[in-house]
Amino acid sequence: MNIHEGTKVILLPKEKGLYSIIKLPNVLDQKSFKSYLLRDDQLFELREIKGDNRYLPNDTKRPVIPNTGQSVKSFIFESEENGCVVQSPNLIVSTKFNLVYYLMSIMYNNDSFAKRFITFEDFSDTISTLFEYNAWVGAIPMKMYKSALSEICETIDENDEIFYKYSNAKVIEYLHRKVSQLLAYLSSQSDLSIILKIKQELYRPISEGSNDIPSDILQLSIIRHSIDLICGSYTPIEIRNQVMNNERYEFDKLNAYLKDIQAQRKELELVESNMNAVVETTTKVETKKKDTKKKVVRKKEIKKVAVGKGALDGFFKKA
């Protein structure tokens, strides 16, 4: 059995097919690249899963072996003919990637796409000039581009040719739909780790009677987290803020609730700090008392003898 130190395990979709690997540049710096899989008209993002989960209380938790709880150190693959050990326990998982988010970032950061209607050929040429490495532009099928552009652009169909112009209003509306879909899913899954984390954040540290979370507060918090999940990874921060500050979402009540919780936590921390100070002071006083108590040592009384009356004085007298 061979041991592979650098080999990676990639989890592919269930659907069988031929995959090609393409590298898309980072929209912001255009220097770093990330690998994607392309099959037919679908992109798949490759993400490395290390076992960390920031929504769990212990976010450094690694995958464990069932029943024993021991950490997974490697993968073992066996077959009738041969087998191997893959030293790294990390998985590279392929998940569907929506090209809309990628084009959204490119077009938002370039005003030329919003100034006038352009043909698809003009769009493709403009994209190519924006990136020094542009081999990926021609690798993505035209059908994928047009499907994505229709979601975030105003379109005009003239003489069987479609013209596109970037629309920030359509982008915001598209993101609102995605937030609503994610919100509906999260609201129906009470045992998800992210829902448990949200509830943990909303519990009052000091409560009178029941510590149940108001349903409207929980819903508002799930909405805010849904926006962060949808807009946090791929969309420009300016667009994320536009979605978050949209009039359809009112977070004032949630903000006031969280502010009240924060005040309670500070109050509780102050009480605990004072109690710890009292305990520390009391301990120091008791220790000082023990140190200052000294044993009284009584000196042995020495009887004084007059000169010439001692026991040896007679021995030294003259005869």
Side-chain angles (χ1 to χ4, degrees):
M1 182 175 289
N2 298 322
I3 298 179
H4 297 255
E5 295 184 359
T7 302
K8 300 289 185 179
V9 178
I10 301 178
L11 187 61
L12 297 175
K14 293 189 299 183
E15 299 82 1
K16 295 181 179 180
L18 296 177
Y19 297 87
S20 57
I21 299 178
I22 63 173
K23 290 186 177 182
L24 300 183
N26 185 301
V27 175
L28 298 179
D29 60 25
Q30 300 188 18
K31 296 179 180 178
S32 58
F33 294 86
K34 191 172 184 179
S35 296
Y36 293 78
L37 295 180
L38 176 63
R39 188 198 65 204
D40 300 330
D41 297 326
Q42 179 62 57
L43 276 175
F44 296 88
E45 183 180 14
L46 297 178
R47 287 191 172 188
E48 187 172 18
I49 306 300
K50 300 179 180 180
D52 298 335
N53 188 341
R54 63 192 179 100
Y55 296 111
L56 292 176
N58 180 10
D59 60 0
T60 59
K61 186 176 181 181
R62 296 289 181 174
V64 296
I65 301 174
N67 302 324
T68 66
Q70 296 178 354
S71 297
V72 177
K73 299 298 182 182
S74 59
F75 287 108
I76 300 176
F77 295 92
E78 293 183 333
S79 65
E80 295 181 357
E81 299 179 356
N82 201 352
C84 69
V85 175
V86 177
Q87 188 169 345
S88 173
N90 298 343
L91 277 173
I92 297 178
V93 179
S94 58
T95 57
K96 287 184 177 181
F97 180 74
N98 193 338
L99 188 62
V100 170
Y101 295 100
Y102 192 72
L103 297 182
M104 183 189 303
S105 296
I106 295 175
M107 301 179 78
Y108 177 82
N109 290 305
N110 292 273
D111 295 337
S112 60
F113 293 107
K115 290 181 177 179
R116 60 187 181 87
F117 285 91
I118 58 175
T119 64
F120 176 78
E121 287 71 18
D122 291 335
F123 162 80
S124 181
D125 292 340
T126 304
I127 290 288
S128 298
T129 59
L130 292 176
F131 295 90
E132 182 178 350
Y133 172 81
N134 54 23
W136 61 273
V137 177
I140 297 177
M142 183 188 301
K143 181 180 179 181
M144 290 181 61
Y145 280 120
K146 291 186 174 182
S147 176
L149 290 174
S150 64
E151 298 286 359
I152 58 177
C153 291
E154 297 177 17
T155 59
I156 295 177
D157 190 346
E158 290 186 359
N159 300 323
D160 295 330
E161 187 170 20
I162 300 177
F163 295 80
Y164 303 92
K165 185 173 76 169
Y166 174 80
S167 169
N168 198 66
K170 289 196 70 172
V171 166
I172 300 300
E173 189 59 37
Y174 177 84
L175 293 175
H176 282 315
R177 292 200 306 271
K178 292 300 180 181
V179 168
S180 298
Q181 293 171 4
L182 181 57
L183 172 63
Y185 173 74
L186 293 179
S187 299
S188 65
Q189 304 294 322
S190 59
D191 57 343
L192 288 177
S193 58
I194 184 175
I195 298 298
L196 298 178
K197 179 179 181 293
I198 291 173
K199 290 182 177 179
Q200 192 66 34
E201 294 173 347
L202 298 176
Y203 284 128
R204 292 182 178 274
I206 304 173
S207 62
E208 298 179 0
S210 176
N211 196 17
D212 293 336
I213 302 170
S215 58
D216 56 339
I217 295 297
L218 178 60
Q219 188 74 355
L220 285 172
S221 186
I222 296 176
I223 291 174
R224 177 174 285 177
H225 279 77
S226 298
I227 294 174
D228 285 335
L229 290 171
I230 292 295
C231 304
S233 299
Y234 307 104
T235 60
I237 185 64
E238 296 85 359
I239 291 182
R240 181 262 184 198
N241 291 339
Q242 290 179 42
V243 175
M244 187 71 75
N245 298 326
N246 191 274
E247 60 184 10
R248 71 180 67 188
Y249 304 126
E250 293 290 342
F251 293 114
D252 292 343
K253 192 172 183 179
L254 174 62
N255 293 334
Y257 183 90
L258 293 174
K259 185 178 180 180
D260 186 40
I261 288 180
Q262 186 65 24
Q264 288 187 1
R265 287 174 179 164
K266 288 183 178 180
E267 181 181 347
L268 191 61
E269 289 174 0
L270 180 60
V271 172
E272 291 178 351
S273 177
N274 291 337
M275 291 179 63
N276 291 334
V278 170
V279 172
E280 184 178 354
T281 302
T282 304
T283 303
K284 288 181 178 180
V285 171
E286 293 296 328
T287 303
K288 188 175 181 180
K289 286 182 178 180
K290 291 180 181 179
D291 293 340
T292 54
K293 287 182 179 180
K294 296 182 179 179
K295 293 182 179 180
V296 178
V297 180
R298 293 184 178 180
K299 295 182 178 180
K300 188 176 181 180
E301 187 177 351
I302 302 174
K303 295 181 179 181
K304 294 183 179 181
V305 181
V307 177
K309 299 297 183 180
L312 297 177
D313 289 339
F315 178 80
F316 292 104
K317 285 183 178 181
K318 291 182 180 180

mmCIF file of all heavy atoms in Angstrom, residues 33 60 83 102 111 124 127 152 163 202 207 267 292-293:
data_model
loop_
_atom_site.group_PDB
_atom_site.id
_atom_site.type_symbol
_atom_site.label_atom_id
_atom_site.label_comp_id
_atom_site.label_asym_id
_atom_site.label_seq_id
_atom_site.Cartn_x
_atom_site.Cartn_y
_atom_site.Cartn_z
ATOM 1 N N PHE A 33 -5.492 33.597 -8.507
ATOM 2 C CA PHE A 33 -6.407 32.811 -9.333
ATOM 3 C C PHE A 33 -7.015 31.692 -8.498
ATOM 4 O O PHE A 33 -6.439 31.252 -7.505
ATOM 5 C CB PHE A 33 -5.680 32.203 -10.540
ATOM 6 C CG PHE A 33 -5.179 33.226 -11.519
ATOM 7 C CD1 PHE A 33 -3.950 33.828 -11.338
ATOM 8 C CD2 PHE A 33 -5.950 33.584 -12.612
ATOM 9 C CE1 PHE A 33 -3.481 34.772 -12.236
ATOM 10 C CE2 PHE A 33 -5.492 34.524 -13.518
ATOM 11 C CZ PHE A 33 -4.258 35.119 -13.336
ATOM 12 N N THR A 60 -12.530 24.996 16.036
ATOM 13 C CA THR A 60 -11.324 24.307 15.572
ATOM 14 C C THR A 60 -11.540 22.803 15.513
ATOM 15 O O THR A 60 -10.593 22.050 15.325
ATOM 16 C CB THR A 60 -10.139 24.603 16.502
ATOM 17 O OG1 THR A 60 -10.456 24.167 17.828
ATOM 18 C CG2 THR A 60 -9.847 26.099 16.534
ATOM 19 N N GLY A 83 -4.302 -0.578 -2.916
ATOM 20 C CA GLY A 83 -4.865 0.438 -2.033
ATOM 21 C C GLY A 83 -3.850 1.534 -1.800
ATOM 22 O O GLY A 83 -2.696 1.445 -2.226
ATOM 23 N N TYR A 102 -19.942 36.582 -10.219
ATOM 24 C CA TYR A 102 -18.631 36.947 -10.767
ATOM 25 C C TYR A 102 -18.764 38.124 -11.731
ATOM 26 O O TYR A 102 -18.021 39.107 -11.647
ATOM 27 C CB TYR A 102 -18.002 35.744 -11.456
ATOM 28 C CG TYR A 102 -16.555 35.916 -11.811
ATOM 29 C CD1 TYR A 102 -15.564 35.915 -10.831
ATOM 30 C CD2 TYR A 102 -16.164 36.100 -13.135
ATOM 31 C CE1 TYR A 102 -14.224 36.079 -11.147
ATOM 32 C CE2 TYR A 102 -14.825 36.262 -13.471
ATOM 33 C CZ TYR A 102 -13.868 36.247 -12.474
ATOM 34 O OH TYR A 102 -12.547 36.418 -12.797
ATOM 35 N N ASP A 111 -17.504 51.283 -15.029
ATOM 36 C CA ASP A 111 -18.656 52.111 -15.404
ATOM 37 C C ASP A 111 -19.081 51.938 -16.858
ATOM 38 O O ASP A 111 -20.229 52.235 -17.210
ATOM 39 C CB ASP A 111 -18.337 53.591 -15.157
ATOM 40 C CG ASP A 111 -18.136 53.891 -13.684
ATOM 41 O OD1 ASP A 111 -18.652 53.115 -12.855
ATOM 42 O OD2 ASP A 111 -17.456 54.895 -13.364
ATOM 43 N N SER A 124 -17.892 40.770 -24.546
ATOM 44 C CA SER A 124 -16.786 39.811 -24.492
ATOM 45 C C SER A 124 -15.436 40.497 -24.743
ATOM 46 O O SER A 124 -14.448 40.212 -24.048
ATOM 47 C CB SER A 124 -17.014 38.707 -25.525
ATOM 48 O OG SER A 124 -15.976 37.748 -25.484
ATOM 49 N N ILE A 127 -14.479 42.585 -21.614
ATOM 50 C CA ILE A 127 -14.011 41.712 -20.532
ATOM 51 C C ILE A 127 -12.572 41.278 -20.782
ATOM 52 O O ILE A 127 -11.726 41.267 -19.872
ATOM 53 C CB ILE A 127 -14.919 40.465 -20.403
ATOM 54 C CG1 ILE A 127 -16.288 40.857 -19.857
ATOM 55 C CG2 ILE A 127 -14.283 39.424 -19.491
ATOM 56 C CD1 ILE A 127 -16.310 41.226 -18.397
ATOM 57 N N ILE A 152 -28.811 40.534 -14.539
ATOM 58 C CA ILE A 152 -28.263 41.765 -13.947
ATOM 59 C C ILE A 152 -28.169 42.915 -14.950
ATOM 60 O O ILE A 152 -27.601 43.953 -14.628
ATOM 61 C CB ILE A 152 -26.860 41.491 -13.356
ATOM 62 C CG1 ILE A 152 -25.905 40.967 -14.422
ATOM 63 C CG2 ILE A 152 -26.954 40.526 -12.197
ATOM 64 C CD1 ILE A 152 -24.471 40.753 -13.913
ATOM 65 N N PHE A 163 -29.044 43.410 -26.819
ATOM 66 C CA PHE A 163 -28.092 44.386 -26.309
ATOM 67 C C PHE A 163 -28.216 44.439 -24.778
ATOM 68 O O PHE A 163 -29.321 44.339 -24.236
ATOM 69 C CB PHE A 163 -28.365 45.774 -26.912
ATOM 70 C CG PHE A 163 -28.140 45.843 -28.387
ATOM 71 C CD1 PHE A 163 -29.101 45.362 -29.286
ATOM 72 C CD2 PHE A 163 -26.964 46.379 -28.907
ATOM 73 C CE1 PHE A 163 -28.894 45.432 -30.657
ATOM 74 C CE2 PHE A 163 -26.748 46.451 -30.276
ATOM 75 C CZ PHE A 163 -27.713 45.969 -31.154
ATOM 76 N N LEU A 202 -28.667 35.577 20.801
ATOM 77 C CA LEU A 202 -29.865 36.331 21.171
ATOM 78 C C LEU A 202 -30.375 36.033 22.573
ATOM 79 O O LEU A 202 -31.291 36.716 23.052
ATOM 80 C CB LEU A 202 -30.990 36.062 20.152
ATOM 81 C CG LEU A 202 -30.701 36.501 18.710
ATOM 82 C CD1 LEU A 202 -31.850 36.094 17.795
ATOM 83 C CD2 LEU A 202 -30.471 38.003 18.623
ATOM 84 N N SER A 207 -32.169 37.247 32.699
ATOM 85 C CA SER A 207 -33.569 37.182 32.294
ATOM 86 C C SER A 207 -34.452 36.971 33.513
ATOM 87 O O SER A 207 -34.057 36.337 34.486
ATOM 88 C CB SER A 207 -33.795 36.035 31.294
ATOM 89 O OG SER A 207 -33.476 34.789 31.886
ATOM 90 N N GLU A 267 -22.816 44.589 32.307
ATOM 91 C CA GLU A 267 -23.212 44.672 33.714
ATOM 92 C C GLU A 267 -22.825 43.388 34.453
ATOM 93 O O GLU A 267 -22.322 43.435 35.582
ATOM 94 C CB GLU A 267 -24.719 44.907 33.801
ATOM 95 C CG GLU A 267 -25.244 45.036 35.223
ATOM 96 C CD GLU A 267 -26.747 45.247 35.266
ATOM 97 O OE1 GLU A 267 -27.337 45.547 34.200
ATOM 98 O OE2 GLU A 267 -27.332 45.108 36.358
ATOM 99 N N THR A 292 1.607 37.489 59.821
ATOM 100 C CA THR A 292 1.980 38.395 60.915
ATOM 101 C C THR A 292 1.903 37.742 62.281
ATOM 102 O O THR A 292 2.399 38.290 63.274
ATOM 103 C CB THR A 292 1.068 39.637 60.900
ATOM 104 O OG1 THR A 292 -0.301 39.214 60.923
ATOM 105 C CG2 THR A 292 1.321 40.461 59.649
ATOM 106 N N LYS A 293 1.232 36.620 62.367
ATOM 107 C CA LYS A 293 1.184 35.899 63.642
ATOM 108 C C LYS A 293 2.521 35.215 63.899
ATOM 109 O O LYS A 293 2.906 34.293 63.180
ATOM 110 C CB LYS A 293 0.066 34.850 63.619
ATOM 111 C CG LYS A 293 -1.334 35.452 63.707
ATOM 112 C CD LYS A 293 -2.385 34.369 63.737
ATOM 113 C CE LYS A 293 -3.781 34.946 63.852
ATOM 114 N NZ LYS A 293 -4.811 33.879 63.875
#
